[in-house]
Amino acid sequence: MATRNPRRRVTIADVASHAQVSTTAVSKVIRNATGVSAVTKSRIQASIAELGYRPQAAARGMRGRTFTIGLVLPHIRNLFFADILDGLSGQLENTGYQAIMVQGGDTRKAERQAVDALLDRQVDGIINVAPLASKNRMEEVAKERPFVVLARHERSTLYDSVYDDDEAGAELVVRHLIELGHRRIAHITHQDNSLAQPADLLHIIRAETYKRIMREHGLGDEIAIATTFYNEQGGYDGARELLARSPRPTAIFAGADQAAIGALAAVHEAGLSVPQDVSIAGYDNTLLAALPIIALTSVDQDGFSMGRMAGRLLLERIEGRVSAARFSVAPKLITRRSTAPPPA
């Protein structure tokens, strides 16, 4: 019986021999360090490509960097998170860094385990999207490893923040519905077990802004909120709850596109039409919202730019920046066929 002989892994010494340089020079090129001429660097990079050399992450970690970045997502079902990943990948292109994505889950325990797993694997930095952890916990992680928080509004001197101007975004969509002539405008918001201050949570900001704009237009008595989840089932359940009101709302603002998709299903199941009977608006402007069969009015918070900026800030932290940075995205309203004037 023939035995399989695994191919020997190419080593840094093999690259040095092939490029006719020292292993120190090869190491500097791999770490993107100074001290190697452009000609020598080019020759080493050519040898790396020709030999198919891949540095071992564990060994690199013992020497310093692993050139890996951890990305913690609540889950992978939301297309908006794919936009964030695309932006991050674009920022990391040609830097030598690779992103490792893990799912944090719906509980603080699961999220903590995900972050700890990345720390154990010696990633050089971590980006945490919509974390459930307390500020104290995130600052503990930031003391150990460069850390960027995406989609939370609190300030910290230890980690950087990237977030959408959720107040401006919610105001855009509610004003849009009012300008169309709607008065009975309802809202679907989210619930979680985050340890953040309520004023720092995006779903609280969006809900509070909805209520403020309604009151400013004399519509305080029409405020109707369903508290479920930012997913399809949550949107479906929330819309069913709101449609059972008498009189029913003529417009529903869901705090996320995922919830808006569920709301669309509930409206159609009730024998109603969008937007003839009920207008639906979402938040995130995911690729799904732009499909002609859905054509969902939605707030665009540019997940690609958020992911790119999070990657940029994290790399700056890894390179030694210690001052805290905050970056806010200016949202835009993208109007489509799911919103129209209310029925006469």
Side-chain angles (χ1 to χ4, degrees):
M1 180 177 178
T3 58
R4 182 184 177 189
N5 293 317
R7 180 183 175 185
R8 185 178 71 85
R9 188 183 183 100
V10 177
T11 67
I12 193 172
D14 295 328
V15 175
S17 175
H18 188 274
Q20 297 183 330
V21 297
S22 67
T23 55
T24 300
V26 177
S27 177
K28 287 182 178 180
V29 170
I30 292 171
R31 292 183 287 110
N32 200 27
T34 58
V36 179
S37 70
V39 173
T40 301
K41 182 178 181 179
S42 178
R43 190 163 74 245
I44 292 171
Q45 289 173 331
S47 294
I48 288 173
E50 184 175 340
L51 296 176
Y53 172 70
R54 290 187 299 109
Q56 289 184 297
R60 294 172 85 178
M62 287 185 288
R63 293 195 302 270
R65 298 183 188 176
T66 62
F67 286 86
T68 55
I69 284 174
L71 175 65
V72 184
L73 299 173
H75 54 78
I76 59 174
R77 297 181 299 276
N78 191 335
L79 286 177
F80 178 67
F81 296 152
D83 293 339
I84 292 172
L85 180 58
D86 283 347
L88 173 61
S89 298
Q91 181 64 39
L92 297 183
E93 190 174 2
N94 300 323
T95 66
Y97 283 88
Q98 292 292 325
I100 299 175
M101 184 182 68
V102 296
Q103 182 166 291
D106 297 326
T107 66
R108 295 193 300 273
K109 179 181 179 181
E111 180 182 272
R112 186 184 188 103
Q113 290 173 338
V115 171
D116 286 346
L118 291 171
L119 293 173
D120 291 344
R121 284 158 179 77
Q122 299 181 332
V123 296
D124 295 327
I126 296 173
I127 298 171
N128 202 343
V129 178
L132 300 174
S134 67
K135 180 180 177 181
N136 287 341
R137 160 62 179 167
M138 293 190 295
E139 289 188 332
E140 288 175 4
V141 175
K143 291 175 182 177
E144 184 173 348
R145 212 65 48 90
F147 195 66
V148 173
V149 173
L150 198 152
R152 283 253 295 255
H153 287 248
E154 69 253 276
R155 294 178 177 272
S156 173
T157 59
L158 298 180
Y159 58 78
D160 299 334
S161 300
V162 177
Y163 55 93
D164 171 56
D165 188 340
D166 293 291
E167 184 174 1
E171 183 168 340
L172 284 172
V173 68
V174 179
R175 288 191 184 278
H176 164 68
L177 294 170
I178 291 173
E179 289 168 1
L180 286 174
H182 292 278
R183 294 182 55 84
R184 299 196 303 274
I185 303 169
H187 179 56
I188 298 173
T189 189
H190 178 69
Q191 59 182 331
D192 61 29
N193 63 349
S194 171
L195 290 179
Q197 295 296 316
D200 294 324
L201 294 170
L202 63 88
H203 55 277
I204 299 296
I205 295 172
R206 294 172 190 177
E208 290 300 316
T209 302
Y210 154 76
K211 290 189 288 186
R212 176 176 62 80
I213 300 301
M214 291 288 282
R215 293 190 184 107
E216 287 178 359
H217 285 78
L219 302 175
D221 292 341
E222 303 293 348
I223 291 173
I225 297 179
T227 303
T228 56
F229 299 97
Y230 277 175
N231 56 34
E232 290 88 346
Q233 187 63 49
Y236 175 82
D237 292 340
R240 281 176 56 102
E241 175 186 332
L242 295 168
L243 293 173
R245 290 171 59 98
S246 181
R248 68 170 180 258
T250 61
I252 297 175
F253 162 37
D257 282 359
Q258 273 194 295
I261 297 301
L264 287 170
V267 170
H268 287 295
E269 185 181 273
L272 302 171
S273 298
V274 175
Q276 290 82 1
D277 298 310
V278 182
S279 288
I280 302 289
Y283 206 112
D284 291 336
N285 193 36
T286 58
L287 290 175
L288 200 60
L291 291 177
I293 197 172
I294 296 175
L296 179 70
T297 291
S298 184
V299 178
D300 184 359
Q301 57 175 325
D302 198 351
F304 184 89
S305 292
M306 294 177 80
R308 178 180 285 277
M309 179 55 66
R312 174 183 165 184
L313 294 178
L314 191 62
L315 291 178
E316 289 176 358
R317 282 279 190 178
I318 292 170
E319 292 300 325
R321 176 174 55 79
V322 295
S323 59
R326 288 165 60 83
F327 178 79
S328 177
V329 172
K332 299 181 297 182
L333 182 66
I334 308 299
T335 57
R336 298 190 179 93
R337 293 195 310 273
S338 70
T339 54

